[in-house]
Amino acid sequence: MGGAAAAARSMRGYLMVFCLICCTADGQIVYSIAEETERGASVGNIAKDLGIDAATLSARKFRMITGSSKQYFNINASTGALSVNEPIDREQLCELKSACLLNYELVLENPLELYRMEFKVLDINDNSPSFPLSEYHINMPEFLSPGARFTLPNAQDLDEGANGVQNYTLSSDEHFYLEMQIRGDGSKYPELVLKKALDREQQATHRLVLTAKDGGNPPKSGDVPVIVTVLDTNDNAPEFEHSVYRASVLENSPSGTLVIQVHATDLDEGPNGEVRYSFSNTTSADLQRMFSIHPHTGEVTVNGVLAVQRPLLEMLIEARDNGAFGMSSTAKLLVEITDVNNHGPEITITSLSSPIPEDAVPGTVIALLSILDKDPGENGKVTCQISENLPFQLKPSLQNYYSLVTSELLDREQISEYNITITATDLGSPPITTQKTVWVQISDVNDNPPVFGADTFNVFVEENNPLGAFLYQVSASDPDIGENGRVSYVLRNSTVAGSALTSFLSMNLANGSIYAKRAFDFEQLRSFYFQVEAKDNGSPALSAAITVNVYISDQNDNAPAILYPTSQNGSVAVEVVPRLADEDYLVTKVVADDEDNAQNAWLSYHLAHSSDSTLFQLSPHTGELRTTRSMRSTDLLKHKVVVVVRDHGDPPLSSTVTVGILLADTLPQALPDFDDSGEPPPLLNATNIYLIISLACVSFIFAAFIFFLAILRLCRCRTCCCNGCCCPADDYKKYCYSVHMLPSSHLPPDMLEVTGVGKLTHTYLYRASVGLGPSNSSIPNGDAGNVPSGSRLQVPGPCIQVQQVQSDRLSAVLVVSTSSFHFFFLCGLGPVLGCSVQNILRAFAGKQVSIHGT
């Protein structure tokens, strides 16, 4: 390859030097240049060739015009030298054209001239021959005779002339050679000729190499693999690996058991080499029913029951291919039938006793078994056994008979039934085993007493429980079943605190529930115990007993009992204290006791009442009553205190004691009475209640009477004439209020009493003046002072006028007639708003003012 490249470079240089320049004709010049000439190589001098002054090219604005997409040539404006601007690939530019030409036009101005240039691209041997495909396949049947011909593909070379393909060669092979043939147009093509007959079984594929060479210098070549595949012909019959096959099979072999697999090979391929197996027609129909052969794999299997007496069976197997004219061969198969132990032992239960009592003695017969095997000889001998961890065993009895007996004591509470598997095995090879299960139930015997969950039971119950209260439920279990396991309960005879147990408790015989028949008192009985007996209903009955401890818990049902000081016949306990006792002097100590227990008996002392709370104090824990200060001469001589003693129960209970304290230096001969001091008498008693009811009734009657008089007076006021009044008659009738006086009432003319009744939102300062009758004659004014609700103002005169000192003014006028007094309001509100009767009467509507004579 290195030498060829060097030769190509030398040839290219020669062509560059020897460029043919043809004479110009009609302004056209022709250049010849070899393809692949390197860039910058000189082609010629356009100025000399055209007879143009090279110095004027630039001034005349020369230019080259071409229809090609690339500018392959360049002209030097100074010298007119024509050189290669871009290497030319003739095969790319002109493809398969015999002549490859490039046309250019040279344009000059001043004057305008046009010259044509033609470049002829000369071919060089720069392409090797090539084949259209990377490899070619030819299929030849193996039955072809020598001389058979097969056309081979032509190679292509882009070069032309002598540089194109000139001849073909074939790699050496004993079966083929190469010949060149000429077509009608004179073109040549290669042919592959069969020189020797083919045998696919010896060589199925032949690999050849076809080489094409051109006429270049140096020459180039291209090659392509030619693969000849020999097609098969059915010229070989299948052949078995062995002419005789031997096999043995057990007589009890199930259907589908593999006996043997035969194999035959055929050197042909495809359908000619596919082999199918079958029994030959000479094989008996019985054997063909007992055996079957797979047509593709050659596996011979059992097809039915091997019920034959002959120990050796002979069959012919045929192997045939799938060719158009199938060829076949046969082989012999000898099958030996082996006698086997094909009968298992048969177990028959002839007698069975179930259930059996759990107290059955060892050796008790449960069942009688018969075991038989139909096989003769050793295959018919049988051994029989059961599991070793069962309380049973098999004992041989008569011939082929066995007895199933107990081997130890039974316990139904542990295992209530057994599934006994009897296994019988013959002595054949291989041995056959048969199993049969016998179900044996164990019946119950009353051999277990009732069992409590604990040795003793502790029951806690509060005192003062209701009658029939549930206390506890004992429970015992009995592993026996039926009546043997049904438990009943009973209280054993005993006494509690000198009384029969049955007077305290009762029991439910069926479920063991215990109930109280009386209320327990902690202070009398704090605990006791008794026994409960549980008995089953077996025969004979079995029983067990349990001790039940009853603990009675305390309730706060006893108030504290005061032991000291004590009173006799309802009198007050008296303690004498020196008249001038010092501070913290021990007056007495209250001692109390509570029959309850624990916190129900924890006592505290409290001072509920004292005639002088600053003189005595009580210790809440010790009950000591002491003085809080020194006695004085001004202190009362006798005092009374009430002490409350309270426990800590829930709810707490308490007791009180009254202590009378006498201040004296010596013990008096007679103790004073303490009932009139200390605790105040009750606010309400029967007498007070009666007095309150009577007073309420009298007040109601009096109020009703006053209301009746007011109604009557109002009716009269509407019909009377009000002369001398400062208010209009309509307003007077509307707002006038009358008070009727009894005829016997005495009203001094110089003294009146005005009482304000009701609620006033402000405090008013009034100035009161008195005028006489309808003439409103006034008398000198006097200060009424501050007149709140419920107060009284006494002024002389039959007519009263009350005025407010500040912003409001109130006037009251008393009108005297022969039968009654008329009292109404006439004043107005405020100096700013002015005074009008209507506003004043509305402002004091609902106010009540009563006038009383004194």
Side-chain angles (χ1 to χ4, degrees):
M1 294 299 292
R9 284 195 299 270
S10 63
M11 183 64 181
R12 191 178 296 113
Y14 170 76
L15 290 175
M16 285 190 296
V17 176
F18 187 72
C19 291
L20 299 178
I21 303 175
C22 299
C23 294
T24 60
D26 298 331
Q28 181 175 353
I29 188 170
V30 178
Y31 293 96
S32 296
I33 183 172
E35 64 173 332
E36 301 296 341
T37 301
E38 297 177 355
R39 182 182 289 107
S42 177
V43 178
N45 192 303
I46 193 66
K48 293 181 180 180
D49 296 338
L50 294 178
I52 303 172
D53 186 4
T56 64
L57 290 177
S58 178
R60 296 183 67 179
K61 299 180 181 180
F62 76 96
R63 58 184 180 273
M64 295 177 64
I65 300 175
T66 179
S68 176
S69 60
K70 291 183 180 181
Q71 187 69 31
Y72 290 102
F73 301 98
N74 187 26
I75 297 176
N76 191 322
S78 300
T79 62
L82 181 65
S83 62
V84 177
N85 184 53
E86 185 75 21
I88 302 174
D89 187 353
R90 180 184 177 279
E91 289 75 27
Q92 181 180 7
L93 184 63
C94 300
E95 295 181 352
L96 298 178
K97 294 180 180 179
S98 58
C100 184
L101 300 176
L102 286 175
N103 294 316
Y104 282 81
E105 293 177 352
L106 179 63
V107 179
L108 299 174
E109 296 181 3
N110 300 321
L112 179 63
E113 292 180 346
L114 179 64
Y115 297 95
R116 295 182 182 277
M117 295 181 295
E118 184 178 277
F119 296 88
K120 184 176 182 180
V121 182
L122 303 178
D123 180 50
I124 63 173
N125 190 23
D126 57 346
N127 293 283
S128 300
S130 62
F131 291 90
L133 299 178
S134 59
E135 64 179 16
Y136 287 88
H137 294 266
I138 300 176
N139 296 327
M140 295 185 183
E142 63 176 333
F143 61 82
L144 292 179
S145 301
R149 293 175 176 271
F150 296 89
T151 301
L152 294 177
N154 282 45
Q156 296 178 357
D157 196 328
L158 298 178
D159 297 327
E160 65 177 359
N163 294 329
V165 177
Q166 299 298 320
N167 57 62
Y168 294 88
T169 59
L170 184 68
S171 60
S172 60
D173 190 275
E174 62 177 343
H175 294 88
F176 303 97
Y177 65 94
L178 184 67
E179 282 188 1
M180 298 300 297
Q181 299 294 331
I182 299 175
R183 295 186 177 92
D185 58 355
S187 61
K188 297 181 180 180
Y189 64 92
E191 278 189 349
L192 183 65
V193 182
L194 180 62
K195 181 171 57 175
K196 181 180 179 181
L198 302 174
D199 188 352
R200 192 203 63 80
E201 287 73 27
Q202 292 183 3
Q203 187 175 357
T205 303
H206 298 266
R207 293 184 176 273
L208 307 175
V209 177
L210 177 64
T211 302
K213 295 181 179 180
D214 60 18
N217 186 18
K220 292 187 175 183
S221 64
D223 51 28
V224 64
V226 178
I227 300 174
V228 178
T229 301
V230 181
L231 301 179
D232 182 53
T233 301
N234 192 19
D235 56 349
N236 293 282
E239 293 183 2
F240 283 97
E241 294 178 347
H242 306 284
S243 60
V244 178
Y245 290 90
R246 298 181 180 273
S248 61
V249 63
L250 300 177
E251 62 174 341
N252 61 344
S253 297
S255 180
T257 301
L258 178 63
V259 178
I260 196 173
Q261 182 177 12
V262 297
H263 185 262
T265 57
D266 194 321
L267 299 179
D268 296 326
E269 67 175 2
N272 297 329
E274 295 177 359
V275 179
R276 296 179 61 86
Y277 303 93
S278 62
F279 289 114
S280 174
N281 293 331
T282 59
T283 303
S284 64
D286 293 339
L287 294 180
Q288 293 187 29
R289 284 193 295 269
M290 283 189 291
F291 298 94
S292 64
I293 185 169
H294 196 280
H296 301 294
T297 63
E299 294 179 347
V300 179
T301 57
V302 176
N303 192 39
V305 179
L306 302 180
V308 293
Q309 301 298 327
R310 294 173 295 171
L312 188 63
L313 302 179
E314 181 178 332
M315 293 168 281
L316 291 178
I317 298 175
E318 180 181 81
R320 182 181 296 273
D321 59 30
N322 291 331
F325 300 98
M327 304 183 70
S328 64
S329 61
T330 59
K332 181 181 290 188
L333 174 61
L334 300 177
V335 179
E336 181 181 359
I337 305 299
T338 304
D339 185 27
V340 294
N341 181 24
N342 57 351
H343 292 91
E346 296 179 0
I347 303 174
T348 303
I349 300 176
T350 58
S351 176
L352 176 62
S353 298
S354 180
I356 61 172
E358 61 178 326
D359 59 350
V361 297
T364 301
V365 177
I366 299 173
L368 185 63
L369 311 175
S370 173
I371 302 176
L372 179 63
D373 193 323
K374 296 180 180 180
D375 290 327
E378 292 295 322
N379 294 336
K381 294 181 180 180
V382 178
T383 60
C384 190
Q385 61 182 1
I386 61 175
S387 299
E388 296 180 355
N389 57 349
L390 297 177
F392 303 96
Q393 63 180 358
L394 283 174
K395 289 186 176 181
S397 182
L398 301 175
Q399 184 178 3
N400 299 328
Y401 281 88
Y402 290 84
S403 297
L404 180 62
V405 299
T406 59
S407 60
E408 55 187 73
L409 294 176
L410 304 177
D411 189 352
R412 189 208 62 81
E413 286 71 34
Q414 294 183 2
I415 302 177
S416 61
E417 61 183 26
Y418 292 89
N419 286 320
I420 306 172
T421 301
I422 302 169
T423 303
T425 305
D426 60 23
L427 301 181
S429 179
I432 297 179
T433 299
T434 302
Q435 291 183 339
K436 192 174 187 67
T437 301
V438 178
W439 183 38
V440 177
Q441 292 180 296
I442 310 300
S443 61
D444 185 52
V445 176
N446 190 24
D447 55 349
N448 293 282
V451 177
F452 287 96
D455 296 336
T456 59
F457 292 114
N458 295 324
V459 180
F460 297 89
V461 59
E462 291 187 349
E463 64 173 333
N464 303 322
N465 57 282
L467 298 181
F470 172 79
L471 300 183
Y472 194 73
Q473 182 179 5
V474 297
S475 178
S477 60
D478 194 324
D480 294 328
I481 61 175
E483 291 297 319
N484 296 332
R486 189 164 64 87
V487 180
S488 59
Y489 304 89
V490 65
L491 294 174
R492 284 191 174 180
N493 292 329
S494 61
T495 58
V496 176
S499 301
L501 177 64
T502 55
S503 64
F504 287 86
L505 303 173
S506 65
M507 170 168 278
N508 189 312
L509 301 181
N511 58 23
S513 297
I514 303 173
Y515 302 93
K517 296 179 66 175
R518 66 165 63 176
F520 296 106
D521 189 352
F522 175 81
E523 289 72 29
Q524 296 181 4
L525 181 65
R526 297 196 174 189
S527 65
F528 63 94
Y529 69 92
F530 59 91
Q531 285 190 333
V532 177
E533 181 180 10
K535 182 184 297 184
D536 61 25
N537 288 340
S539 181
L542 300 178
S543 64
I546 188 68
T547 299
V548 180
N549 297 316
V550 179
Y551 299 95
I552 301 171
S553 58
D554 181 44
Q555 283 188 340
N556 191 26
D557 57 345
N558 291 280
I562 299 176
L563 304 180
Y564 183 85
T566 59
S567 60
Q568 296 180 357
N569 300 326
S571 61
V572 177
V574 179
E575 296 290 339
V576 179
V577 177
R579 185 71 182 81
L580 298 176
D582 295 332
E583 180 183 356
D584 200 31
Y585 179 81
L586 178 62
V587 177
T588 186
K589 181 176 182 180
V590 180
V591 180
D593 184 31
D594 196 321
E595 294 182 358
D596 293 325
N597 192 27
Q599 66 179 9
N600 296 331
W602 298 348
L603 303 180
S604 60
Y605 303 86
H606 307 276
L607 196 60
H609 171 74
S610 175
S611 57
D612 189 349
S613 59
T614 64
L615 189 56
F616 302 100
Q617 64 180 0
L618 181 66
S619 175
H621 303 295
T622 63
E624 294 180 351
L625 182 65
R626 295 180 180 270
T627 60
T628 59
R629 59 178 174 81
S630 298
M631 295 294 182
R632 301 169 186 167
S633 59
T634 59
D635 291 335
L636 297 177
L637 295 180
K638 60 178 182 178
H639 298 272
K640 186 167 67 173
V641 296
V642 179
V643 177
V644 177
V645 183
R646 184 178 296 111
D647 60 24
H648 287 73
D650 185 17
L653 300 178
S654 62
S655 299
T656 61
V657 61
T658 303
V659 180
I661 303 173
L662 179 63
L663 302 182
D665 292 331
T666 60
L667 184 65
Q669 294 181 356
L671 296 176
D673 186 10
F674 285 88
D675 292 338
D676 58 347
S677 62
E679 185 177 355
L683 296 177
L684 293 178
N685 52 30
T687 302
N688 292 342
I689 293 175
Y690 295 149
L691 289 176
I692 292 173
I693 295 175
S694 300
L695 182 60
C697 293
V698 172
S699 300
F700 177 78
I701 294 172
F702 178 77
F705 177 73
I706 295 300
F707 180 76
F708 173 75
L709 291 179
I711 296 299
L712 183 61
R713 190 61 182 171
L714 180 62
C715 293
R716 290 182 180 181
C717 285
R718 291 181 178 180
T719 59
C720 69
C721 178
C722 301
N723 295 327
C725 297
C726 63
C727 63
D730 294 338
D731 293 337
Y732 173 82
K733 294 178 181 179
K734 183 176 181 180
Y735 297 104
C736 180
Y737 295 88
S738 299
V739 179
H740 294 272
M741 303 298 292
L742 297 177
S744 58
S745 300
H746 174 71
L747 181 64
D750 58 347
M751 182 64 69
L752 293 176
E753 178 181 331
V754 179
T755 302
V757 181
K759 295 183 178 179
L760 296 177
T761 59
H762 300 283
T763 300
Y764 295 92
L765 182 64
Y766 298 97
R767 181 180 299 274
S769 64
V770 179
L772 295 175
S775 62
N776 291 328
S777 300
S778 62
I779 63 175
N781 294 332
D783 288 335
N786 199 9
V787 186
S789 176
S791 65
R792 294 182 178 183
L793 176 64
Q794 294 182 352
V795 295
C799 184
I800 301 171
Q801 183 179 13
V802 181
Q803 296 180 345
Q804 186 175 357
V805 175
Q806 298 182 4
S807 62
D808 295 336
R809 180 166 57 86
L810 174 65
S811 296
V813 178
L814 178 62
V815 179
V816 182
S817 65
T818 57
S819 60
S820 61
F821 294 99
H822 299 283
F823 179 75
F824 55 93
F825 298 100
L826 298 177
C827 80
L829 296 174
V832 178
L833 299 177
C835 180
S836 66
V837 174
Q838 294 85 351
N839 293 336
I840 295 172
L841 294 178
R842 291 191 189 99
F844 288 92
K847 304 294 181 178
Q848 297 182 7
V849 178
S850 61
I851 303 175
H852 303 278
T854 57

